[in-house]
Amino acid sequence: MKDSVIIVSGGMDSITMLYEFKDRIALGISFDYGSNHNAREIPFAEMHCKRLGIPHITIPLDFMPKYFKSSLLEGAEAIPEGNYDEENMKSTVVPFRNGIMLSIAAGIAESHQLKYVMMANHSGDHTIYPDCRPEFVEAFSHATKAGTFVGVEILAPYTNISKADIARHGKALGIDYSETWSCYKGGEKHCGKCGTCRERKEALKEAGIEDTTEYED
């Protein structure tokens, strides 16, 4: 039964979730919030939703670059290179981004009489992004359930697994990860040097997946 909307970015994690839970997903939602890589990843979200016969919408959040401070909203040169860890990636945090997106998605879910909003956070995000942590997901789910007539809840089944674990799910599902986007710099190709590119490489390697991503390096 179709009972969920999914926040789908076009990256490895949300595309894996899209395929894994396709039978219950009624709508895919992407958000264009002015990041360096939105223009690169959202077309993948659209493509995969279309491939699966799942309706897809993109919602503009063009106020965010005007009022929010984050290197993710400041151009490719502002994105740090190096490991995917708290010290290196903290500048890429867009304050309360997931809270804003989940609020909108919960409203859309209730408008369609759907019970769940799915998000594809994972354990590697916890130390970097506050709005990816288990306690945030749990608290926000309580809020959406209390604040909607249909009792919308947040489903985040990847919260406590790694990106490599997600890639293993994708491998079993036959997903071609070259049809996803990770690089925060948002160039013509993945830069291969920023934290999200390095995280992508490591996850695919650990999962035993040949990395056919085109990298600049």
Side-chain angles (χ1 to χ4, degrees), residues 7-19 30 37 40-45 48 120 158 163 166 175-177 179-183 190 200:
I7 297 176
V8 56
S9 67
M12 287 178 59
D13 310 325
S14 64
I15 294 301
T16 304
M17 185 172 287
L18 181 75
Y19 277 85
S30 299
H37 64 306
R40 303 294 296 163
E41 64 179 358
I42 290 176
F44 283 121
H48 287 288
Y158 296 166
K163 196 176 190 78
I166 294 171
I175 294 173
D176 179 0
Y177 282 122
E179 296 181 331
T180 64
W181 188 266
S182 298
C183 182
H190 284 73
R200 178 188 181 94

Side-chain angles (χ1 to χ4, degrees), residues 26-92:
L27 177 67
I29 306 173
S30 299
F31 292 95
D32 186 350
Y33 57 97
S35 75
N36 305 320
H37 64 306
N38 274 164
R40 303 294 296 163
E41 64 179 358
I42 290 176
F44 283 121
E46 295 172 343
M47 181 191 76
H48 287 288
C49 284
K50 183 177 181 180
R51 184 177 291 171
L52 293 172
I54 296 171
H56 175 272
I57 58 173
T58 298
I59 298 175
L61 300 176
D62 52 2
F63 66 90
M64 293 180 78
K66 298 176 184 178
Y67 303 110
F68 288 33
K69 179 69 174 177
S70 170
S71 63
L72 200 58
L73 306 175
E74 295 174 2
E77 66 282 353
I79 299 298
E81 296 182 353
N83 292 331
Y84 189 82
D85 55 41
E86 181 179 12
E87 182 177 352
N88 193 46
M89 297 296 289
K90 191 173 182 180
S91 74
T92 66

Side-chain angles (χ1 to χ4, degrees), residues 75-147:
E77 66 282 353
I79 299 298
E81 296 182 353
N83 292 331
Y84 189 82
D85 55 41
E86 181 179 12
E87 182 177 352
N88 193 46
M89 297 296 289
K90 191 173 182 180
S91 74
T92 66
V93 172
V94 179
F96 210 61
R97 176 186 61 179
N98 284 347
I100 293 166
M101 294 178 180
L102 288 168
S103 295
I104 296 169
I108 291 173
E110 180 162 39
S111 296
H112 291 269
Q113 296 296 300
L114 299 169
K115 279 279 295 179
Y116 301 101
V117 174
M118 305 192 75
M119 65 179 293
N121 57 313
H122 62 80
S123 63
D125 296 329
H126 295 178
T127 60
I128 304 169
Y129 303 107
D131 55 2
C132 287
R133 294 171 184 165
E135 56 268 34
F136 168 81
V137 175
E138 183 179 2
F140 211 90
S141 187
H142 283 308
T144 56
K145 187 174 183 179

